[in-house]
Amino acid sequence: MTTTVFERIKAAIGPEMAGPGLAFVAVVLVFGIASPQFLSAATFGSVAFQLPELGLLTLAMLLPILTGGLNLAITFTANLAGLTLAWVLKANGGADAGFGIFLVGSVLAVMVGAASGVVMGLVIAFTRAHPILVSLSMMIFLRGLGEFLTRGGDISGFPPFVGVIGHGSVAGIPVPLIVFVVCVLAWHLLLGRTKLGFNTYMIGSNLEATRYSGINTRKAIVLVYTLSGVMCAIAGIIMLARFNSVRIGHGESYLLITVLACFLGGVNPFGGFGRVIPVFVALVVLQLLSSGLNLIGANQHLATAVWGILLVGVMILRWAVSRIKISIVRRGS
């Protein structure tokens, strides 16, 4: 009976939760002992406000990775989407702009993010160019375009309600976190319950076999990068509300961390395997790790170094686990 319950829990959670789950327990134990303030409402409240912008960009990175690709343009797509919203607000009253103007600007921002994804998806799908090269080209283009339009400066001076979106709470839950959780659930349903989700995993497993099976791989790839661009735009809107300003380069350091979060969450770097919930847990671990290092007085840059070491450790651990599994199979045969 106990074994059956254990097996059911294991099947529900999935094997890819083992890494993020163990990392979460380790981080909580280590920093809980090292700092009495770590296990406090203030720490988890800080994590709740800081997590969404990185989390939304990670979701934008997740879909392309599952197809065996990559989207290196996520941060600059978010920046340009944020700039679009900022220009709409500034052109319609600035600090006096109404909420309706904000909604119009947000729709236009999402359209800009989607357009970026459509262009990348079309080039990747029809020319078969490597996603790294295509997204790198888009990243350079968006960065140059944004710096040209803003002359390297930032845009600020938004209505007061924008700050509420970035720093407000509903029933004690930060608004950005609510947006992020809704997006996590949307991605979870997309990958687990829709045809596009199935096609995404198939393409990541074997693109040619998927094409010969009758699936329109070009359409699926374009949709994947389009949705990635849409998620970037949502991240850009949240970043605008959080920073109360927009500048090309905001969140640039998040790029590699999103890749780390995906890998720590059990996503196969070559595509075809990975789930949203373990990635969510991995994001929480990374943010808790950063907060814990800050509480014990470590330099902020040390967190970045530790994240890098963590990525190397994850790769070594996966290699060791695969070797152990191979040894067990050989002995069993």
Side-chain angles (χ1 to χ4, degrees):
M1 182 66 180
T2 305
T3 305
T4 304
V5 173
F6 177 76
E7 289 176 352
R8 287 180 179 177
I9 295 174
K10 184 178 178 181
I13 296 176
E16 61 271 25
M17 274 295 295
L22 289 174
F24 177 82
V25 172
V27 167
V28 170
L29 287 176
V30 170
F31 288 107
I33 295 171
S35 174
Q37 293 82 25
F38 182 75
L39 297 176
S40 65
T43 298
F44 288 96
S46 174
V47 169
F49 273 107
Q50 295 174 11
L51 179 66
E53 57 205 51
L54 172 60
L56 291 168
L57 290 173
T58 302
L59 293 180
M61 180 66 79
L62 176 61
L63 289 185
I65 289 181
L66 287 175
T67 63
L70 207 63
N71 184 358
L72 298 177
I74 55 171
T75 56
F76 292 106
T77 301
N79 291 160
L80 205 64
L83 284 174
T84 302
L85 173 56
W87 286 326
V88 171
L89 291 172
K90 296 294 285 186
N92 291 275
D96 298 321
F99 191 72
I101 297 299
F102 176 82
L103 291 178
V104 171
S106 297
V107 171
L108 292 175
V110 170
M111 291 174 64
V112 167
S116 169
V118 166
V119 172
M120 286 189 289
L122 288 172
V123 174
I124 293 169
F126 286 90
T127 69
R128 298 192 185 183
H130 200 287
I132 291 179
L133 297 177
V134 176
S135 61
L136 179 61
S137 301
M138 180 59 72
M139 180 186 77
I140 295 171
F141 167 72
L142 293 176
R143 180 173 188 170
L145 178 63
E147 289 180 343
F148 168 75
L149 294 173
T150 62
R151 289 177 169 78
D154 56 7
I155 300 177
S156 57
F158 306 126
F161 64 80
V162 173
V164 175
I165 294 173
H167 300 277
S169 300
V170 175
I173 304 174
V175 174
L177 183 62
I178 294 174
V179 174
F180 174 49
V181 170
V182 170
C183 291
V184 167
L185 293 176
W187 249 225
H188 178 69
L189 293 174
L190 171 72
L191 290 172
R193 301 293 180 86
T194 68
K195 182 179 178 181
L196 177 60
F198 174 77
N199 292 347
T200 298
Y201 286 118
M202 291 290 291
I203 290 170
S205 298
N206 193 316
L207 176 60
E208 292 301 321
T210 305
R211 181 182 291 115
Y212 287 126
S213 68
I215 294 175
N216 190 337
T217 56
R218 288 177 173 176
K219 179 181 178 182
I221 289 173
V222 172
L223 284 174
V224 161
Y225 280 88
T226 301
L227 290 174
S228 176
V230 168
M231 191 60 71
C232 289
I234 296 173
I237 295 169
I238 294 298
M239 288 164 68
L240 177 149
R242 285 270 299 144
F243 300 139
N244 200 32
S245 66
V246 181
R247 177 178 57 82
I248 289 295
H250 270 168
E252 189 174 0
S253 62
Y254 289 152
L255 176 60
L256 296 180
I257 301 173
T258 61
V259 179
L260 169 58
C262 288
F263 293 167
L264 182 60
V267 178
N268 189 332
F270 301 106
F273 182 81
R275 295 198 305 160
V276 178
I277 302 304
V279 172
F280 173 78
V281 176
L283 284 164
V284 174
V285 169
L286 292 176
Q287 202 62 63
L288 285 173
L289 180 62
S290 179
S291 297
L293 289 172
N294 184 53
L295 282 173
I296 64 176
N299 188 290
Q300 184 179 2
H301 298 293
L302 180 61
T304 305
V306 172
W307 283 338
I309 294 173
L310 185 61
L311 177 56
V312 174
V314 168
M315 290 187 290
I316 294 174
L317 181 62
R318 285 187 178 180
W319 173 82
V321 170
S322 66
R323 298 294 294 180
I324 292 172
K325 286 182 177 179
I326 292 173
S327 300
I328 292 173
V329 170
R330 287 177 177 173
R331 288 176 183 175
S333 59

